[in-house]
Amino acid sequence: MFVSQIEFRINIVDEVKNWEEAIEIVSAPLLKDQCINQNYVEEVKENISKESYRFLVDHDIILAHSRPNGDVKKNGLSFLKVNKGVQFPNLKNKNIKLIFVISALSVREHMDWLQRFAKIMDDVHMVEKLNNATTKDEIIEIFKKKIY
């Protein structure tokens, strides 16, 4: 399920102007698929601007999200790789390259997503492979090998 959720929601860009643009790009597939609305994206950006460290995961990954609410229409997951990295507020000396956004309809489903991420977060080699990947197909294969 993880791979099917993310397979068509992967973007790779060389660089972004700032972290807000990164959040807009990574959220775009979820908006397109009507998993979330623009209010959810704005909530995520507001949360990050206040407490970005809460969304920082081991290995310099951002897992952006907000509470399950009426702005979430479907469970969803999206991924963005920023090749040159991007700085997030209140995270000194962190050049973030891997950004996920999740949307969950309920607290239980929200927790399920977080548990799935535990498999990614504790694997330094997988994160290194994601950092080195250059195509969407490579990224999908990395996820398939780890999740299945």
Side-chain angles (χ1 to χ4, degrees):
M1 181 172 158
F2 182 94
V3 173
S4 66
Q5 281 285 329
I6 200 167
E7 196 165 6
F8 301 106
R9 298 182 184 136
I10 294 172
N11 282 298
I12 302 171
V13 298
D14 197 42
E15 61 186 312
V16 293
K17 293 178 204 166
N18 53 42
W19 68 269
E20 292 99 334
E21 181 182 32
I23 295 300
E24 290 287 339
I25 293 169
V26 71
S27 299
L30 296 173
L31 285 165
K32 180 180 175 247
D33 293 344
Q34 299 179 343
C35 296
I36 58 173
N37 62 31
Q38 187 62 38
N39 289 339
Y40 187 82
V41 179
E42 297 307 318
E43 287 175 31
V44 167
K45 289 194 292 187
E46 184 177 334
N47 290 342
I48 289 172
S49 71
K50 291 178 182 174
E51 300 178 301
S52 57
Y53 58 87
R54 287 185 45 226
F55 304 96
L56 180 66
V57 180
D58 287 347
H59 314 299
D60 301 337
I61 299 170
I62 289 288
L63 176 55
H65 58 279
S66 190
R67 298 177 193 271
N69 61 35
D71 297 323
V72 175
K73 307 303 178 196
K74 298 182 215 172
N75 293 325
L77 173 66
S78 184
F79 174 75
L80 173 65
K81 180 179 178 217
V82 181
N83 289 327
K84 293 185 179 176
V86 61
Q87 298 288 311
F88 278 74
N90 306 312
L91 297 177
K92 294 181 181 179
N93 304 319
K94 297 282 184 188
N95 196 35
I96 306 297
K97 293 183 178 181
L98 308 176
I99 305 165
F100 293 87
V101 169
I102 60 171
S103 62
L105 288 166
S106 71
V107 172
R108 183 187 59 77
E109 290 162 318
H110 187 88
M111 295 308 294
D112 285 348
W113 279 122
L114 297 178
Q115 287 176 339
R116 289 179 196 162
F117 272 96
K119 288 184 177 182
I120 297 169
M121 295 180 237
D122 67 355
D123 188 335
V124 176
H125 298 294
M126 181 178 176
V127 173
E128 185 178 319
K129 287 178 184 178
L130 287 172
N131 275 316
N132 294 327
T134 58
T135 68
K136 291 180 183 183
D137 289 338
E138 281 181 85
I139 291 169
I140 291 168
E141 285 306 311
I142 293 165
F143 285 133
K144 281 183 180 177
K145 286 179 183 173
K146 180 62 182 179
I147 305 304
Y148 291 135

